[in-house]
Amino acid sequence: MPRSVPLSPTPRSTLTRKKHRASTDRADLYRVLDEALVCHLGLVLAGSPVCVPTGYGRDGDTLYLHGSTGSGNIRAAAEGADVCVTVTILDGIVYARSLNNHSMNYRCAVVHGRPRLVTDAAEKLRGLRIVTEHLAPGSWDHAREPNAKELASVAVLALDLTETSVKIRAEGPAEQAEDVDRHDVWAGVLPIRTVVGPPEPATYVPDGVVVPTHIARRARI
Amino acid sequence: MPRSVPLSPTPRSTLTRKKHRASTDRADLYRVLDEALVCHLGLVLAGSPVCVPTGYGRDGDTLYLHGSTGSGNIRAAAEGADVCVTVTILDGIVYARSLNNHSMNYRCAVVHGRPRLVTDAAEKLRGLRIVTEHLAPGSWDHAREPNAKELASVAVLALDLTETSVKIRAEGPAEQAEDVDRHDVWAGVLPIRTVVGPPEPATYVPDGVVVPTHIARRARI
């Protein structure tokens, strides 16, 4: 799918509320997916809804997920279960002059679909690379690559970014008419950010082993 | 339910993988729920899994959720649908000497159950207070309280914290035997934190209106 294809909602990926917050720009979908590190994978297991956090990565219009072949959630998804993958970034706490208009600023991407279990060896390795580099950019060329046993223990799933929605709130508080003139009351936004702290070496790393550039850069040391 | 009651998992709230990461301490459940601001609400809507972010708050062993009465997800949950509420806090990126042992440090609480639509007026107001004070501590006594019309537009759901699980990873990387002696390769954790930035007043707030203490304290100004 070319980059220029817009989001193409189906009934279940069409917002029914706060429709003005729906983005129709595929670039917004990419930005949300590329910025967050964790998604929530929703599926139905033995009749019950399940919602679990997991890592992921994006390659064009394919979302890759991975997990242990021993995971019931991953097995169900690999066997063709419908899933809902949701990525949420909280950007701010919105303080209005009324309690009812308190809100959050956020960006949320939702992907519906049936993932495909990746069986081709080359694509499986590429999928793992996408997921790993999303979590830890630079690690693929730095750490030991997976051996045959490790590869066999992990399942890679591919989910097309065809049935998606993006919802964004990025503004100050809304107010009711009766609150607009209450100029003694502060209103506004507390922005929220995710920051990376200084690297903490593992206990078994000898003193003097330098933090690699791709990690130091991320921690801004 | 007294504070001392431990987590009581059913089959669907019993971890099947990485069981050593399961906490059986109810205090861990409370800590995760009390620290995060957003949960993901998983349910089944028209046969499809849905997973959406939403606010919440905890009062003892009751989780309160709220949402517009116009929301299909909230309506389904209010009508007795099974839900899975998941709260995830990402604490760090774990760099191992092998790609396969790259991981995340996180704390994740999962609650299964059928929410109860709160119909009692006093409990509804208390539930809204719990949810609002969780997002914006101090606002309940500062901002205008909801009027009858606003109260009618919002649904409050109560979910008992009886069928829950907590999974925590809070440690350095694991390594395979073959990687333990590779002392030229750094391994460790990049900690991740969520921080609150300086308050951004709404455009309509006149200069000179002081940021209230409960907000300034949170932003550490």
Side-chain angles (χ1 to χ4, degrees), chain A residues 145-203:
Chain A
E145 66 184 17
N147 58 34
K149 186 181 165 197
E150 289 168 340
L151 279 173
S153 72
V154 64
V156 175
L157 304 173
L159 182 62
D160 288 338
L161 297 178
T162 45
E163 195 175 349
T164 64
S165 66
V166 179
K167 198 170 175 183
I168 298 175
R169 190 193 194 285
E171 58 198 24
E175 301 287 4
Q176 302 311 114
E178 66 189 282
D179 301 310
V180 169
D181 294 330
R182 297 178 57 219
H183 285 320
D184 54 322
V185 184
W186 191 87
V189 175
L190 276 191
I192 287 187
R193 279 184 311 125
T194 298
V195 297
V196 173
E200 298 168 351
T203 51

Side-chain angles (χ1 to χ4, degrees), chain B residues 25-44:
Chain B
D25 187 350
R26 186 156 282 267
D28 281 335
L29 174 71
Y30 295 160
R31 270 190 289 266
V32 174
L33 295 177
D34 293 352
E35 181 174 327
L37 293 174
V38 173
C39 69
H40 280 80
L41 170 67
L43 42 72
V44 186

Side-chain angles (χ1 to χ4, degrees), chain A residues 83-127:
Chain A
V83 303
C84 175
V85 173
T86 302
V87 171
T88 305
I89 302 169
L90 179 61
D91 288 323
I93 303 161
V94 180
Y95 291 82
R97 286 171 172 164
S98 64
L99 291 165
N100 196 58
N101 279 325
H102 274 54
S103 187
M104 301 187 209
N105 279 338
Y106 62 89
R107 289 164 288 155
C108 179
V110 175
V111 185
H112 292 273
R114 292 195 172 164
R116 166 175 61 84
L117 177 67
V118 175
T119 52
D120 176 77
E123 190 190 1
K124 183 171 179 178
L125 207 60
R126 190 171 76 245

Side-chain angles (χ1 to χ4, degrees), chain A residues 12 48 51 86 102 139 175 204, chain B residues 12 48 51 86 139 175 204:
Chain A
R12 65 183 178 179
S48 291
C51 176
T86 302
H102 274 54
S139 274
E175 301 287 4
Y204 51 81
Chain B
R12 65 183 179 179
S48 292
C51 175
T86 302
S139 274
E175 300 286 5
Y204 51 81

Side-chain angles (χ1 to χ4, degrees), chain B residues 110-123:
Chain B
V110 175
V111 185
H112 292 274
R114 292 194 173 164
R116 168 176 59 84
L117 176 67
V118 175
T119 51
D120 176 77
E123 189 189 0

Side-chain angles (χ1 to χ4, degrees), chain A residues 20-82:
Chain A
H20 64 286
R21 298 213 172 114
S23 167
T24 54
D25 186 351
R26 186 156 281 268
D28 282 335
L29 174 70
Y30 295 160
R31 271 191 288 266
V32 173
L33 295 177
D34 293 353
E35 181 174 327
L37 292 174
V38 172
C39 70
H40 280 80
L41 170 66
L43 43 72
V44 185
L45 213 60
S48 291
V50 173
C51 176
V52 289
T54 188
Y56 68 93
R58 183 182 71 85
D59 183 19
D61 281 301
T62 302
L63 201 72
Y64 284 106
L65 306 165
H66 77 325
S68 164
T69 52
S71 153
N73 298 330
I74 291 292
R75 272 207 305 269
E79 284 163 7
D82 253 330

